[in-house]
Amino acid sequence: PDVCYWEGAYGRSSNIVGYNPTQSANYMRNEARNWMMWFKKQTAVDGYRWDAVKHIPDWFQQDMLWNVKYAVPTWAQGGEEMFSVGEYVGSQTEMDNYCNAVQTANGSNEFVMGTFDFSLRAGIQNVIQGGGFSNISNIAGTQQTKRFAEYANQKVHRTVPFVNNHDTFRPILDDNGNYAGWDYSNQIGGNVDPFDKRLAMAYAIIMSVDGNPGIFMEDLFNLSANNRFNHDPKNETELPVRSKIQNLIWCHQNLDFKYGDYKVRYQSEDLLVIERAGKAIIAITDNISANQEAWIDTDFRNVEMKDYSNGTSEIRQVYADGRFNVKITNVGKELG
């Protein structure tokens, strides 16, 4: 109750014994800023996650971030690309408005704070719960519009698209640590079961759209195989990795496709095709019983395309005019 960043909140604390100076105007704000700058210099931390940001003043967040980005010594500055994400559970519009509020606070105009894209996550969850009968073309429109900052020499992704996190994922465990059910009353937005056949589809989506994808540990690792409490984390037999998620991470990290412009090339009820311009083509389906195929226009010209999803070993050609025939088997993704 005594932590308040408003300039008029000052006086002595009512519940501290010992060091308890009389506070002047902006005491909490100034001391928090001093601590964050000190911490940045001591640790060289390159990013921040802010909890429950709808309860924190946007002008306070802008103040803190600007100072750790630019007001510490040059060797410790976070600079333009510093990562900062706020947990704001809300609609697409609410999260965009929050990002805008922090961006323009204190007379600033730098898009410094992103959010976890709960709107996109709700769209993904709806497709998964649809069991193959949802309209996957709607996914593209569920994303936040505030997704990246454009600087003079670089694009910096600000949002965090995700499938599961500690608030959406609340399993009920048996004595061996295996899933025995779901604590629906304490989950935000409903869970996505890591054993769902469409998990790779969900991760293909968050890897292909703008943003810094968040990988949930229980999606990447199978902790529900009698191994939660007694596995050797260095042993892949004892701590199994879901290979499709592992492959998507490899593609995201090694093909560097996130820095090609985001373009939706094809949308239908069962097929969504996204191009990262000149970098990759990602085709995604929620239909696990029928293969999908479509002709698209691309930014590629007269190049051979490799399928990194291992759906086919065929090397296929993009024509000189950019036309390409996308084929996706029901492994759920195609990367080229």
Side-chain angles (χ1 to χ4, degrees), residues 224-298:
S224 189
N226 299 314
N227 60 350
R228 179 179 298 272
F229 304 125
N230 57 7
H231 62 266
D232 178 354
K234 302 183 297 298
N235 187 322
E236 288 193 22
T237 300
E238 295 187 20
L239 183 61
V241 178
R242 290 187 171 90
S243 59
K244 290 182 180 179
I245 310 303
Q246 184 180 35
N247 179 58
L248 283 165
I249 294 172
W250 185 94
C251 291
H252 183 271
Q253 299 300 88
N254 289 278
L255 302 181
D256 199 30
F257 57 74
K258 199 58 75 73
Y259 291 94
D261 288 340
Y262 169 81
K263 299 182 178 183
V264 178
R265 292 302 193 182
Y266 185 88
Q267 291 170 284
S268 70
E269 190 167 316
D270 286 330
L271 180 62
L272 174 66
V273 182
I274 295 169
E275 180 181 358
R276 303 308 305 209
K279 294 278 190 178
I281 296 169
I282 305 100
I284 305 160
T285 183
D286 67 330
N287 188 327
I288 60 175
S289 60
N291 296 339
Q292 304 295 317
E293 183 175 351
W295 281 96
I296 63 170
D297 293 320
T298 78

Side-chain angles (χ1 to χ4, degrees), residues 78-82 148-157 259:
E80 294 176 347
E81 63 184 19
M82 192 186 77
F148 57 84
E150 287 276 20
Y151 294 96
N153 297 311
Q154 63 178 333
K155 173 190 289 185
V156 179
H157 291 273
Y259 291 94

Side-chain angles (χ1 to χ4, degrees), residues 3 13 52 61 69 97-98 101 122 130 138 166 186 189 196 203 213-214 223 248 254 256 261 270-271 273 289 313 315:
V3 176
S13 175
Q61 292 169 74
K69 282 164 71 73
N97 288 343
Y98 161 76
N138 293 330
H166 64 286
N186 287 306
D196 193 288
Y203 271 90
L223 289 173
L248 283 165
N254 289 278
D256 199 30
D261 288 340
D270 286 330
L271 180 62
V273 182
S289 60
S313 59
I315 300 294

Side-chain angles (χ1 to χ4, degrees), residues 7 11 34 36 54 63 69 103 153 160 164 168-169 191 196 219 247 249-250 259 263 280 287 293-294 313 333:
E7 65 180 358
N34 290 340
M36 278 195 70
K54 65 174 64 177
D63 181 357
K69 282 164 71 73
Q103 177 174 338
N153 297 311
V160 175
N164 276 317
T168 69
F169 191 84
N191 69 288
D196 193 288
D219 291 338
N247 179 58
I249 294 172
W250 185 94
Y259 291 94
K263 299 182 178 183
N287 188 327
E293 183 175 351
S313 59
K333 59 191 180 299

Side-chain angles (χ1 to χ4, degrees), residues 66-77:
W66 188 89
N67 278 277
V68 293
K69 282 164 71 73
Y70 303 115
V72 291
T74 303
W75 52 266
Q77 289 179 7

Side-chain angles (χ1 to χ4, degrees), residues 92 115-124 136-148 155-163 200-215 248 251-253 256-267 272-277 279-284 334-335:
Q92 180 187 60
T115 49
F116 294 95
D117 198 338
F118 276 89
S119 178
L120 174 65
R121 197 268 174 184
I124 291 171
I136 198 171
S137 69
N138 293 330
I139 283 289
T142 64
Q143 301 171 77
Q144 289 180 250
T145 58
K146 296 284 290 186
R147 303 198 293 264
F148 57 84
K155 173 190 289 185
V156 179
H157 291 273
R158 293 292 188 213
T159 58
V160 175
F162 70 101
V163 176
M201 174 212 72
Y203 271 90
I205 292 170
I206 71 163
M207 294 290 186
S208 61
V209 300
D210 290 325
N212 305 285
I215 313 300
L248 283 165
C251 291
H252 183 271
Q253 299 300 88
D256 199 30
F257 57 74
K258 199 58 75 73
Y259 291 94
D261 288 340
Y262 169 81
K263 299 182 178 183
V264 178
R265 292 302 193 182
Y266 185 88
Q267 291 170 284
L272 174 66
V273 182
I274 295 169
E275 180 181 358
R276 303 308 305 209
K279 294 278 190 178
I281 296 169
I282 305 100
I284 305 160
E334 180 179 61
L335 302 176

